[in-house]
Amino acid sequence: MTQYDADVVIAGAGMAGATFALAAAHAGLKPILVDPLPFESQLAETFDGRASAIAYSSFRQWRVLGVAERLSAHAERMDHILVTDGHTPGAARGPVGASFLRFDAEEIADRAEGEPLGYMIENRRIRAGLAETVRAAGIEVLAPAAVVGVEVDQRCATVRLKDGRTLTAPLVVGAEGRVSPVREAAGINCIGWEYRQGGVVATVRMDRPHGGVAHEYFLPSGPFAILPLTENRASLVWTEPKARAEALRHASPEAFDAHLRRRFGDFLGGVKVEGPRFVYPLTLSLAERMTAPRIALLGDSAHGVHPIAGQGLNLGLKDAAALAEVLVDALRIGEDLGSEAVLERYARWRRFDNVMLAAATDVFNRMFSNDFPLVRAARGVGMAVVNRIGPARRFFMTEAGGAVGDLPKLLRGQGL
């Protein structure tokens, strides 16, 4: 029998890769995490401005894996989401017209078991919580160590590292992000494009309580989101054309505050920016395949979507849960973990969801990031209709919570 270094080698110790490593270990597999950055950097208080909307099904997975207890103090419930559309800035200025949607967690309390619509958590807190749990679980981590190549044969995958070491396993998982050496080694191409938009990201503190309400306001230049954080702070995701986004990042504090007040309004009192501002390019990318011989992709290595629906990380966490479940089922009946039959079950499970979410975010962004009168009228009518139909509202809330479709056990809060 072939002797392997691990059951699965995972390239990338970020949020999706670390979650999959924990899920694999929970299932009785031996994972090895490989990352080009020192693992201690995951524990650093480095502030990059970003926060993630975590679906309640994703948070259930972290509860099962022992991560949630490290994140609970930093997780802000989103119990309400208000989506509005208008010609002029001001996320809550004046009376709300017909073109709005309001989602309330109470409407789906019976099917969500009292969960909120989601949780907002700063990425630096997520990274640290996952890293601490990985260490506590005794998972082997090689970092800094960069993957430079992967060779496969009928029985084994061999991972070559930049320092000359090699690792063997029946399966290699690429979770390094949108630039993925594992995906490149597998010969898997990506399709996608740039949106010619930049996401201006900043954290602000408000005078008045935000009440766990997330606001998303659609302007012709793109969505402007105010997302609640702990300690009465909020994460801003402010979409503008690239040149304007860069101008906002480099603007003086006085000029930035003036622009911010025009969009924010005064419904939460005074607003103060905490920390620096950041700009992130907005793109769409989708791997043509999620698997190759003895290779599987998950997270941003497989798909990168526009943040308009806040579902990017949740897609990767679904990938992690689905792949772990497929592998543990294969292990129990003695299948080769890297076989085509096993990996096709994973790809078939996740392919449709990933493609549909990527397409939906692309359509939503194009539909809402313009000021064409006919398009604006059509989307206004659509928002008003959905807002008045309870079953439609509840479906969208359950979908956003990640609880629609054939869910992996971990997303249902069950062990493997």
Side-chain angles (χ1 to χ4, degrees), residues 49-240:
R50 289 178 291 186
S52 294
I54 304 301
Y56 63 79
S57 60
S58 298
F59 206 74
R60 286 174 180 170
Q61 175 175 212
W62 282 343
R63 285 196 186 102
V64 175
L65 300 178
V67 185
E69 60 191 51
R70 292 179 166 87
L71 297 179
S72 294
H74 308 294
E76 180 64 41
R77 289 174 60 101
M78 286 191 294
D79 288 307
H80 313 279
I81 300 175
L82 180 63
V83 182
T84 55
D85 187 20
H87 289 82
T88 57
R93 180 173 297 170
V96 176
S99 300
F100 80 100
L101 286 168
R102 184 180 180 92
F103 300 122
D104 295 298
E106 292 178 355
E107 283 198 67
I108 58 169
D110 55 341
R111 66 185 73 176
E113 300 177 357
E115 297 276 12
L117 297 173
Y119 297 87
M120 281 302 303
I121 313 176
E122 292 168 278
N123 285 10
R124 58 180 176 145
R125 304 297 188 186
I126 299 174
R127 289 193 298 265
L130 284 166
E132 291 167 359
T133 312
V134 164
R135 282 185 167 177
I139 294 172
E140 184 176 357
V141 181
L142 302 180
V147 174
V148 294
V150 182
E151 287 88 33
V152 302
D153 58 32
Q154 291 184 344
R155 295 182 298 176
C156 180
T158 301
V159 178
R160 290 187 291 107
L161 304 182
K162 188 175 182 179
D163 60 11
R165 286 179 291 177
T166 60
L167 300 169
T168 58
L171 176 64
V172 177
V173 170
E176 315 101 303
R178 299 195 187 196
V179 180
S180 170
V182 170
R183 187 183 65 224
E184 182 178 342
I188 299 175
N189 295 320
C190 271
I191 58 174
W193 45 81
E194 293 186 5
Y195 286 108
R196 299 179 182 177
Q197 294 173 316
V200 182
V201 175
T203 299
V204 298
R205 186 179 297 275
M206 289 86 67
D207 285 345
R208 300 175 188 161
H210 54 56
V213 181
H215 297 264
E216 185 147 20
Y217 193 78
F218 291 113
L219 296 172
S221 58
F224 177 80
I226 307 167
L227 307 171
L229 296 174
T230 55
E231 301 173 357
N232 206 45
R233 296 171 302 143
S235 175
L236 302 185
V237 182
W238 182 350
T239 306
E240 294 282 358

Side-chain angles (χ1 to χ4, degrees), residues 254-413:
E254 295 78 14
F256 185 84
D257 288 347
H259 284 290
L260 179 59
R261 282 195 299 272
R262 289 184 62 236
R263 283 156 175 78
F264 211 109
D266 58 1
F267 72 108
L268 291 176
V271 177
K272 181 180 179 182
V273 177
E274 293 194 344
R277 306 163 224 150
F278 303 85
V279 173
Y280 294 98
L282 303 182
T283 63
L284 181 143
S285 64
L286 194 64
E288 293 181 344
R289 293 175 288 132
M290 294 191 70
T291 63
R294 301 204 172 278
I295 289 174
L297 304 178
L298 63 79
D300 284 356
S301 295
H303 42 70
V305 301
H306 195 283
I308 191 169
Q311 291 298 312
L313 177 56
N314 292 301
L315 279 182
L317 299 179
K318 281 186 180 180
D319 294 342
L323 183 55
E325 187 168 332
V326 166
L327 294 181
V328 72
D329 288 346
L331 183 68
R332 285 169 180 158
I333 60 176
E335 288 185 287
D336 179 351
L337 299 182
S339 69
E340 182 179 350
V342 170
L343 296 183
E344 177 55 28
R345 291 201 289 271
Y346 163 64
R348 188 168 58 245
W349 196 352
R350 295 298 305 136
R351 186 184 296 123
F352 180 78
D353 187 30
N354 290 335
V355 171
M356 290 305 295
L357 200 287
T361 56
D362 183 67
V363 170
F364 289 160
N365 182 58
R366 295 178 190 277
M367 180 179 293
F368 284 98
S369 295
N370 67 72
D371 201 29
F372 296 123
L374 288 178
V375 175
R376 177 174 288 279
R379 73 193 188 212
V381 170
M383 292 172 70
V385 169
V386 171
N387 198 57
R388 286 170 169 78
I389 300 175
R393 279 199 317 274
R394 289 187 284 275
F395 172 81
F396 281 113
M397 286 187 278
T398 307
E399 172 70 28
V404 172
D406 184 13
L407 290 183
K409 290 179 179 178
L410 288 170
L411 296 183
R412 299 198 300 265

